[in-house]
Amino acid sequence: MFIVTHRGFFFWLTGIILVAAIAAIAVWGLPRGIDFTGGTLMQVSYPAGRPALSDIQTEVATVPLGAVSVRAQGENAVAIRTRTMTPDEHAAVLTVLSRNATTTELAYTSVGPALGSQFTSKALWAIVAVVLAIMLYIAFAFRKVSRPVPSWGYGITTVAMLVIDIIVPTGFYAALCHFTGAEVDSLFIVALLALLGYVVNDIIVVFDRVREHLALNEKTNRKEPFEETIGKSIDETMTRSINTSLTVALALLALIFLGAPATQNFALVMLVGVVVGTFSTITRSAPLLIPLARWLAK
């Protein structure tokens, strides 16, 4: 009952975190990678030691490519981003980079502007479609629950939690992009979609326990306050939620510290999302049903 008794504190804490995440997105923005904007991204390593970034920029500028971005990656590598290059331009860049140092190309990705625009549209529609499907599923799964909150109330509450659990990791990623030069890519969208599935699974466990208690109370004609039903449901599922999140967090930590650099940002977003989602499930999802029930009772 501790969570239910102090739900006001957790609602305020959620508001503060949400405002901070929205502020990070508004101030720093989300720089889009070539998956969305189109262009070419090269990753080149210098086994003998990386030259100054300004020197690399000067070398690449000898090839007529227009605006070029050169960013450090790790200790001895760089990421070079340009407009979409032709095969001849790609070969020319590799030649000028190898003129004064030994280099190894780690990765080369090229996406056309039209394909990048299509990916942006499809990514947004995918997130919207998943959220709507989840809301409809929750409303259908809880269709036999009518008091004190109807089935659509569970669906709306779930969507509200999902929105928060998406905005907070996105705000974190905006800060990460600002301080490290990371960009929004396809793996970021994959992370958000995976988080939607993970969080809704956790929420359903709590809501299902609420439904079981409501059905039992109705069967036995027990007049139990709704707050007490919510509190019992949270207490009974809290350990399960925390243990599940810990196992997922351990796997994500392994990816962050031992995995390939390409998946580190993905794992970071997932880790933040899992922590936020677990906090959301325990402190916000079911407690939000209480003010909703009071509002519907008026």
Side-chain angles (χ1 to χ4, degrees):
M1 290 294 292
F2 176 83
I3 301 297
V4 171
T5 303
H6 298 87
R7 61 183 181 276
F9 166 77
F10 292 110
F11 290 167
W12 274 104
L13 181 60
T14 297
I16 294 172
I17 295 173
L18 189 59
V19 168
I22 293 174
I25 298 170
V27 173
W28 292 322
L30 290 165
R32 295 180 298 166
I34 64 170
D35 291 344
F36 296 93
T37 62
T40 295
L41 180 65
M42 297 175 59
Q43 294 177 330
V44 180
S45 70
Y46 292 82
R50 182 180 61 210
L53 293 180
S54 58
D55 294 340
I56 299 174
Q57 184 90 35
T58 301
E59 291 174 344
V60 177
T62 60
V63 181
L65 294 172
V68 176
S69 170
V70 178
R71 294 183 179 273
Q73 280 204 331
E75 296 182 358
N76 296 315
V78 293
I80 302 170
R81 179 174 174 175
T82 70
R83 61 165 173 77
T84 304
M85 287 194 286
T86 65
D88 290 341
E89 289 170 337
H90 176 214
V93 171
L94 289 177
T95 299
V96 298
L97 290 177
S98 303
R99 190 173 296 161
N100 300 316
T102 302
T103 61
T104 302
E105 187 175 34
L106 301 177
Y108 176 80
T109 306
S110 187
V111 178
L115 185 59
S117 177
Q118 290 177 14
F119 186 85
T120 302
S121 177
K122 289 180 179 179
L124 293 175
W125 277 113
I127 292 176
V128 172
V130 169
V131 171
L132 289 177
I134 288 172
M135 181 175 67
L136 293 175
Y137 168 75
I138 295 293
F140 176 78
F142 289 82
R143 64 191 183 281
K144 295 182 179 180
V145 179
S146 59
R147 296 180 182 178
V149 177
S151 60
W152 58 263
Y154 290 87
I156 291 178
T157 301
T158 300
V159 171
M161 292 300 94
L162 293 179
V163 170
I164 294 173
D165 294 338
I166 288 299
I167 291 178
V168 174
T170 302
F172 164 80
Y173 198 69
L176 184 70
C177 291
H178 176 73
F179 290 108
T180 68
E183 295 177 331
V184 174
D185 56 11
S186 56
L187 281 180
F188 174 74
I189 301 301
V190 171
L192 293 186
L193 292 173
L195 284 173
L196 287 175
Y198 177 86
V199 172
V200 76
N201 175 70
D202 227 13
I203 293 174
I204 286 177
V205 170
V206 182
F207 283 180
D208 202 45
R209 189 58 57 90
V210 173
R211 178 174 59 178
E212 290 175 359
H213 282 301
L214 290 175
L216 181 61
N217 292 342
E218 185 175 353
K219 184 178 180 180
T220 58
N221 292 320
R222 183 181 179 187
K223 304 299 182 180
E224 181 180 69
F226 191 49
E227 289 86 346
E228 185 177 339
T229 301
I230 295 294
K232 287 195 306 184
S233 301
I234 294 174
D235 291 341
E236 291 169 0
T237 57
M238 185 186 304
T239 302
R240 180 261 184 201
S241 296
I242 294 175
N243 288 342
T244 301
S245 298
L246 281 176
T247 57
V248 175
L250 288 175
L252 293 172
L253 286 171
L255 273 178
I256 293 171
F257 293 106
L258 303 176
T263 61
Q264 286 179 343
N265 289 344
F266 165 82
L268 271 172
V269 174
M270 283 292 296
L271 181 61
V272 172
V274 166
V275 172
V276 171
T278 303
F279 178 78
S280 172
T281 299
I282 295 173
T283 65
R284 294 193 302 264
S285 57
L288 265 180
L289 296 173
I290 297 173
L292 181 59
R294 291 178 176 175
W295 178 74
L296 291 172
K298 292 181 180 180

